Amino acid sequence: ERASRTVLRLRQHVVSPPLPFVLPSWIVDPDFDLGYHLRAVRVAAPGGMAQLLEFAQSELVTPLDADRPLWTATLVEGLPEGRSAFLLKMSHAIADAAGSARITGALYDDERTPERAAMP
């Protein structure tokens, strides 16, 4: 929630104009549903790296819905030793390298119990 409010592009989607000589534009999705973009799955037994990579490959080839913000995030559980993986799939149209670093900073904390400012 915080990341999608900090990086507004995560709440926007592209709208194609009715006239072909006008450029598409980004608008805030009035029906933004964070639950659509966040998923949690468990890999099939035995839950090793092969199963994780197989799942990640199938996720990456599935197209993003152009009528929604162009990203998904999946928590993959069931890996050995109680481990999990976090897969972030994001269209290159959302951000360049610097923008991707900003998004990563909004998603991850570098402290175990960070102080939280008011929700943006």
Side-chain angles (χ1 to χ4, degrees), residues 74-95:
T74 307
L75 175 65
V76 182
E77 298 176 300
L79 299 175
E81 301 175 19
R83 294 182 178 182
S84 58
F86 181 73
L87 304 175
L88 178 61
K89 179 171 135 179
M90 184 171 47
S91 169
H92 70 279
I94 288 181

Side-chain angles (χ1 to χ4, degrees), residues 42-80:
R42 181 168 287 281
V43 293
M49 186 60 73
Q51 287 76 23
L52 173 62
L53 293 174
E54 184 177 319
F55 175 78
Q57 181 180 18
S58 68
E59 281 290 296
L60 289 174
V61 299
T62 304
L64 293 163
D65 183 350
D67 292 330
R68 295 179 180 261
L70 299 172
W71 66 276
T72 61
T74 307
L75 175 65
V76 182
E77 298 176 300
L79 299 175

